[in-house]
């Protein structure tokens, strides 16, 4: 390896697409968890009120479709707002560089000096970066934004819808393919296992604490199913 070749650690996210990856991961994990928990809650609630397969199937499919569309729209609106904000900040920085380049240079030098460089070194770094690409240097140091890697609302929406649907199919199949007297306990087990797996995968990809992530999503899902089961029994008994 030459002395001028930059050293990168394989465990660290140096790639330009890190923001996009994290955005996809966030939308995907949220979609899968919501799909599993919300659909499980719906079908278990209905199954607690009736043993007939048709209303369980109808409620489950309706919940799946509504949830997938809702998640996609929510992600699209949320990420679009974030993207618009990022673009506005970039436009503002571009205008400031054109209107007051000296003040922006001094601001950039001050940023690096605040990070621990001497005033002389900070000024040299700011000057060289500005001469190379002033806009890129300023948006990186001041805003922490990569203009070529802005968040994608379509990516987040599609990822969220697909992951929600994938997660929702699990409890729906579990409760429809199981004999009536085993539907609820089997669905509980399938959902708990699916949530544990989702927590493990998300923690592994995000390099987070695995057991904590698994416990968080699994316990939350079980609580949701217990609540909807109790409501289904209560409402079903009242209606009957």
């Amino acid at each position: 390896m030459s002395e001028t070749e930059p050293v990168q650690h394989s465990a660290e996210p140096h790639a330009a697409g890190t923001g996009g990856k994290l955005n996809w991961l966030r939308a995907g994990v949220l979609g899968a968890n919501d799909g599993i928990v919300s659909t499980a809650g719906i079908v278990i609630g209905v199954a607690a009120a009736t043993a007939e397969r048709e209303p369980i199937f109808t409620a489950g499919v309706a919940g799946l479709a509504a949830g997938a569309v809702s998640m996609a729209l929510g992600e699209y609106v949320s990420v679009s707002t974030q993207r618009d904000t990022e673009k506005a900040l970039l436009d503002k920085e571009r205008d400031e560089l054109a209107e007051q380049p000296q003040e922006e240079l001094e601001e950039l030098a001050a940023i690096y000096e605040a990070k621990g460089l001497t005033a002389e070194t900070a000024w040299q770094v700011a000057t060289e970066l500005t001469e190379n690409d002033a806009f890129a240097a300023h948006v990186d140091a001041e805003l922490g934004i990569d203009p070529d890697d802005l968040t994608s609302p379509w990516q987040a929406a599609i990822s969220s819808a697909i992951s929600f649907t994938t997660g929702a199919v699990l409890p729906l199949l579990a409760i429809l393919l199981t004999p009536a007297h085993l539907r609820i306990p089997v669905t509980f087990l399938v959902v708990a296992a699916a949530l544990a797996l989702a927590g493990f995968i998300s923690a592994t990809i995000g390099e987070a604490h695995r057991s904590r992530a698994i416990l968080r999503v699994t316990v939350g899902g079980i609580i949701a199913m217990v609540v909807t089961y109790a409501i289904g029994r209560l409402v079903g008994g009242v209606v009957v």
Side-chain angles (χ1 to χ4, degrees):
M1 180 181 293
S2 66
E3 294 183 359
T4 58
E5 184 177 349
V7 178
Q8 292 188 356
H9 303 287
S10 59
E12 296 179 359
H14 294 281
T18 299
K21 173 188 173 183
L22 293 178
N23 183 49
W24 167 84
L25 174 61
R26 177 184 63 83
V29 170
L30 285 175
N33 284 343
D34 282 356
I36 295 169
V37 175
S38 63
T39 305
I42 291 172
V43 296
I44 285 178
V46 177
T50 178
E52 295 183 15
R53 197 180 302 270
E54 289 77 9
I56 297 175
F57 174 76
T58 301
V61 171
L64 185 156
V69 173
S70 176
M71 286 291 294
L73 289 175
E75 283 295 325
Y76 182 82
V77 171
S78 174
V79 177
S80 292
T81 300
Q82 179 182 344
R83 187 182 179 90
D84 290 343
T85 300
E86 291 172 341
K87 286 184 175 181
L89 290 172
L90 292 174
D91 290 340
K92 179 182 178 183
E93 190 63 36
R94 193 177 284 109
D95 292 340
E96 289 177 349
L97 283 169
E99 296 171 1
Q100 44 190 19
Q102 184 62 30
E103 289 83 350
E104 287 297 298
L105 177 60
E106 293 172 357
E107 182 181 12
L108 186 60
I111 290 174
Y112 286 110
E113 187 175 351
K115 290 183 177 182
L117 299 181
T118 63
E120 181 180 355
T121 302
W123 182 261
Q124 181 180 353
V125 170
T127 301
E128 292 183 5
L129 289 175
T130 299
E131 290 174 351
N132 180 61
D133 189 335
F135 180 68
H138 280 266
V139 297
D140 177 62
E142 294 181 37
L143 306 177
I145 297 175
D146 182 353
D148 298 321
D149 188 32
L150 297 181
T151 50
S152 170
W154 284 109
Q155 181 187 52
I158 294 172
S159 173
S160 182
I162 292 175
S163 59
F164 183 97
T165 301
T166 301
V169 165
L170 295 175
L172 186 57
L173 290 178
I175 206 162
L176 292 176
L177 299 179
T178 306
H181 66 289
L182 294 175
R183 282 175 185 165
I184 293 177
V186 167
T187 303
F188 260 84
L189 292 176
V190 169
V191 169
L195 289 173
L197 179 60
F200 174 81
I201 293 174
S202 65
T204 300
I205 296 177
E207 299 180 357
H209 197 281
R210 292 192 181 100
S211 59
R212 188 178 303 158
I214 292 172
L215 183 64
R216 182 168 55 239
V217 297
T218 304
V219 171
I222 290 174
I223 292 174
M225 288 187 290
V226 169
V227 170
T228 55
Y229 173 79
I231 292 174
R233 293 288 294 181
L234 177 63
V235 174
V238 170
V239 172
V240 171

